[in-house]
């Protein structure tokens, strides 16, 4: 199974089960960095975004601690934008390791999903 197929299937399930039409927390990771953005598909805008490439990010960029910090930071930005509930879109990545740490960091900072 290709990664693109998994990504499309997960996006379809996310939108199908998103009955309240909440924004989605989309995750992208590479070997060195992790990115998170909250996207409002109804309006077609990005509400909040943060990554390990941000200028104010300190420390290692490719470990679980960095992913947790990114999750907490994007949750704080979302709460400032008055977004409290999101749908988690892991894309083509398994819910494990850095992706899971980002999700737990966002929950810890007050985001609900």
């Amino acid at each position: 199974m290709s990664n693109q197929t998994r990504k499309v299937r997960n996006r379809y399930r996310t939108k199908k089960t998103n009955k309240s039409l909440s924004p989605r927390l989309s995750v992208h990771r590479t070997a060195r960095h992790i990115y998170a953005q909250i996207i409002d598909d109804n309006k077609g805008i990005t509400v909040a975004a943060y990554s390990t490439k941000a200028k104010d990010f300190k420390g290692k960029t490719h470990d679980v601690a960095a992913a947790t910090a990114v999750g907490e930071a994007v949750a704080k930005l979302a709460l400032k934008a008055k977004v409290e509930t999101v749908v988690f879109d892991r894309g083509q990545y398994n819910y494990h390791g850095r992706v899971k740490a980002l999700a737990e960091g966002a929950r810890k900072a007050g985001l609900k999903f």
Side-chain angles (χ1 to χ4, degrees), residues 24-55:
R24 64 186 163 95
L25 172 58
S26 179
V27 176
H28 177 72
R29 68 174 174 83
T30 63
R32 291 187 181 182
H33 297 283
I34 190 156
Y35 308 83
Q37 57 182 342
I38 297 180
I39 304 165
D40 188 349
D41 290 318
N42 297 331
K43 297 177 184 175
I45 60 170
T46 300
V47 178
Y50 197 79
S51 73
T52 53
K53 288 182 119 179
K55 290 182 180 181

Side-chain angles (χ1 to χ4, degrees), residues 10 16 19 23 26 36-37 42 46 48-49 60 63 68 71-72 77 92 97 101:
N10 287 335
K16 185 174 103 175
K19 294 181 173 60
S26 179
Q37 57 182 342
N42 297 331
T46 300
K60 290 185 178 180
D63 59 358
T68 304
E72 291 173 357
L77 291 172
Q92 64 188 359

Side-chain angles (χ1 to χ4, degrees), residues 31-102:
R32 291 187 181 182
H33 297 283
I34 190 156
Y35 308 83
Q37 57 182 342
I38 297 180
I39 304 165
D40 188 349
D41 290 318
N42 297 331
K43 297 177 184 175
I45 60 170
T46 300
V47 178
Y50 197 79
S51 73
T52 53
K53 288 182 119 179
K55 290 182 180 181
D56 61 341
F57 185 81
K58 303 287 185 214
K60 290 185 178 180
T61 61
H62 57 277
D63 59 358
V64 172
T68 304
V70 169
E72 291 173 357
V74 78
K76 289 176 185 175
L77 291 172
L79 292 173
K80 279 185 185 177
K82 298 181 181 170
V83 174
E84 297 176 358
T85 305
V86 295
V87 175
F88 189 69
D89 178 15
R90 62 184 173 86
Q92 64 188 359
Y93 310 108
N94 291 331
Y95 189 76
H96 178 73
R98 291 187 292 155
V99 175
K100 183 178 178 181
L102 188 141

Side-chain angles (χ1 to χ4, degrees), residues 2-13:
S2 72
N3 289 342
Q4 190 65 26
T5 305
R6 184 182 306 131
K7 181 178 178 180
V8 170
R9 185 179 65 235
N10 287 335
R11 182 83 34 86
Y12 172 76
R13 287 180 186 161

